[in-house]
Amino acid sequence: MQTSALPDLAHTAAKPVHWLATATAMAAVVAAAGLLQPEAATATASAPGHRVTAPHAGASAAPAPDPSGVVFPLDCGASGQTVADSAPGDLDGDGGPETVAVVRCDAGSGTPPSGIYVLTQASGAAPRVVATLVDPAQKLTVTDLAVHDGRISATLLGYSSADVPRCCPDELEKPVWQWKGNAFVRSAGPAESAARGV
């Protein structure tokens, strides 16, 4: 049997130069692995007779109108307006997205009434309001805005009389709007007591 010229557990007496060499080698391996990443995966059609086609030249998915720079038909005086919520979706079935926005005065405190507005944007033009679904003059608070399958839904909180404190709405509606013909048509169940669901 041949004995080793190295003492047992020679690696336990490693000098700093050995650790530096090991660290340098590991850094080189990690760097090489980062440079040799595979290309991004792409989907291809594998079934015979099935083709994947690219969009037409010049056709691109237009972004939904951005409500942040729009001046809404809401008189807030010096307090200004704020977009409390928004949701994009193709509401009229033309393939281009619209945006539904909940807007109120930026009062800083309290519960100012909200309005619901529909925005559209022609190519190269600024977004513009094309419909008012809830006017702030109705003195409603809007929550739970959503757009699904061309339908707009929201929860409207209101007051049954002027005697109800403005902090505590006592009426709740859940209307749905849908584009039909040339206008948004509202459908909803009967108003509910806000005490049941709020």
Side-chain angles (χ1 to χ4, degrees):
M1 177 170 174
Q2 189 174 17
T3 59
S4 171
L6 297 173
D8 289 338
L9 302 175
H11 65 278
T12 59
K15 296 190 167 82
V17 73
H18 295 114
W19 289 110
L20 183 58
T22 302
T24 303
M26 288 299 293
V29 168
V30 170
L35 292 174
L36 300 175
Q37 291 293 320
E39 291 184 29
T42 56
T44 58
S46 58
H50 184 262
R51 277 187 6 214
V52 176
T53 59
H56 299 293
S60 63
D66 181 3
S68 63
V70 175
V71 177
F72 292 91
L74 174 63
D75 184 15
C76 295
S79 65
Q81 303 173 349
T82 185
V83 177
D85 198 1
S86 65
D90 182 6
L91 302 175
D92 56 4
D94 68 351
E98 287 79 28
T99 297
V100 182
V102 176
V103 183
R104 60 178 174 77
C105 292
D106 192 9
S109 63
T111 309
S114 305
I116 299 179
Y117 303 97
V118 178
L119 304 174
T120 189
Q121 184 172 12
S123 178
R128 64 187 179 92
V129 176
V130 293
T132 299
L133 303 181
V134 172
D135 192 310
Q138 295 173 268
K139 300 190 183 307
L140 298 171
T141 300
V142 180
T143 64
D144 303 325
L145 176 71
V147 174
H148 294 290
D149 298 326
R151 293 186 175 101
I152 305 161
S153 62
T155 300
L156 306 179
L157 304 176
Y159 307 92
S160 59
S161 74
D163 297 331
V164 176
R166 299 296 101 177
C167 68
C168 312
D170 64 340
E171 291 186 336
L172 181 145
E173 294 179 73
K174 295 190 175 193
V176 174
W177 293 268
Q178 187 169 14
W179 182 258
K180 292 189 179 177
N182 59 358
F184 285 99
V185 177
R186 177 179 167 163
S187 60
E192 303 173 17
S193 168
R196 284 187 244 157
V198 176

